[in-house]
Amino acid sequence: MSDLLSSPWHWFILIVSLVNIFACWWLLNWSAKTKVHSDDGTTGHVWDEDLQELNNPLPRWWLILFHLTIGFALLYLFLYPGLGNYKGSLNWTQESQLEEAMQASSVRSTELQEFWKSMDIETLATNATAMQTGERLYSHYCAMCHGADARGATGYPNLTDKVWLWGKDLKSIEHTIREGRQAAMPAWDSQLNEQELNSLAIYVQSLSNRAPESEITAQGEIQYKKYCIACHGVEGKGMQALGSPDLTNDIWLYGGDLDAISHSIKYGRNGVMPPQQGLMNEYEIKLLTAYIRSMQLEQE
């Protein structure tokens, strides 16, 4: 692009632009003064046998507007770049405009950050302006996994309900965003045969009243106490410190049908919530925590 604005291209662009503008001005004045003389006040042109072109001058308002557009063009080219490498009297560039806009945005962002830093997360969660920014952060960093409405999907937790594997208090949520989480449900296919696996899956279903008690669930309970009780507890209510889910509340991250439960037992689950501290600064983490808290408040 710089080659096009160097000589002789600079002079070519400048001359062609100005010649075209002045040619329009000359044509306008020439056509306003020159008339075709005829005795009957027409130009002599006839169409469709009786349609005649009159030899009337152009309307004055139209001529004035045309002159104004020519004047505007010359003024614009004087103030702004447009004639080769001439930079214009205002020395305006797209780069300078972008830089000014970015500086203004940075100043505004800094002011908001300083203002919001003085607020605690609960207060931020009720601040409409702050939550608009929080929503944009969520859309950028979280929506691809947890969904635009934050209700999650298979393998991705719902952020709007009251069930949180690692805790729903503000400190736990902020830690989850900053440090991430790593699930560790081991695979038991090498320890259980098909019959044991099936009975264990049915017993796990019975904890949430999805399967009736039977001889099979009694057999599954034996396997549960042997392999699962250490993480999910005696009653199957899970352990928040380990991120092990409550098996009694009928909320299943990977599905609560027999096939899904059997798959989880047989092959394990190792879901990952990636840490965001390398992608977000502390201010953004705080704001995102507040936004998630605001979604909780809507459900309470």
Side-chain angles (χ1 to χ4, degrees), residues 14 17-23 25 66-80 83 86 88-89:
L14 186 148
S17 299
L18 293 179
V19 166
N20 272 276
I21 292 174
F22 284 106
W25 176 81
F66 211 133
H67 280 97
L68 287 176
T69 59
I70 293 175
F72 174 81
L74 292 173
L75 178 62
Y76 179 90
L77 292 175
F78 172 74
L79 296 175
Y80 296 97
L83 297 174
Y86 172 67
S89 62

Side-chain angles (χ1 to χ4, degrees), residues 27-164:
L27 179 61
L28 181 65
N29 284 276
W30 176 82
S31 61
K33 295 178 180 179
T34 304
K35 296 183 178 180
V36 177
H37 298 285
S38 61
D39 296 333
D40 58 358
T42 68
T43 62
H45 298 159
V46 180
W47 291 272
D48 294 336
E49 297 182 358
D50 60 351
L51 185 60
Q52 296 180 323
E53 180 183 0
L54 300 179
N55 190 26
N56 295 328
L58 295 172
R60 183 171 296 275
W61 66 266
W62 191 89
L63 292 172
I64 293 174
L65 284 179
F66 211 133
H67 280 97
L68 287 176
T69 59
I70 293 175
F72 174 81
L74 292 173
L75 178 62
Y76 179 90
L77 292 175
F78 172 74
L79 296 175
Y80 296 97
L83 297 174
N85 58 20
Y86 172 67
K87 296 182 179 180
S89 62
L90 297 180
N91 202 30
W92 176 90
T93 63
Q94 291 179 330
E95 291 81 0
S96 63
Q97 184 180 32
L98 175 61
E99 185 176 351
E100 289 175 4
M102 292 178 64
Q103 288 178 351
S105 177
S106 178
V107 170
R108 174 60 177 164
S109 177
T110 301
E111 291 175 350
L112 285 175
Q113 289 184 33
E114 292 301 321
F115 175 67
W116 288 336
K117 278 180 181 179
S118 61
M119 298 183 182
D120 56 36
I121 293 178
E122 287 287 356
T123 305
L124 274 176
T126 60
N127 185 290
T129 304
M131 290 304 92
Q132 288 177 355
T133 303
E135 184 178 9
R136 288 192 289 270
L137 289 171
Y138 175 85
S139 298
H140 182 73
Y141 291 103
C142 315
M144 68 285 294
C145 292
H146 296 283
D149 59 358
R151 295 188 179 277
T154 302
Y156 301 98
N158 185 345
L159 303 181
T160 65
D161 61 22
K162 298 180 179 180
V163 179
W164 289 68

Side-chain angles (χ1 to χ4, degrees), residues 182-210:
Q182 171 66 64
M185 165 67 186
W188 298 106
D189 59 330
S190 62
Q191 305 294 324
L192 300 169
N193 58 41
E194 287 298 321
Q195 182 179 352
E196 292 172 331
L197 190 149
N198 184 62
S199 63
L200 177 55
I202 293 175
Y203 174 74
V204 170
Q205 274 194 322
S206 72
L207 293 175
S208 58
N209 299 317
R210 279 177 168 252

Side-chain angles (χ1 to χ4, degrees), residues 15 19 41 47 186 213 250:
I15 292 172
V19 166
W47 291 272
E213 293 187 7
D250 204 25

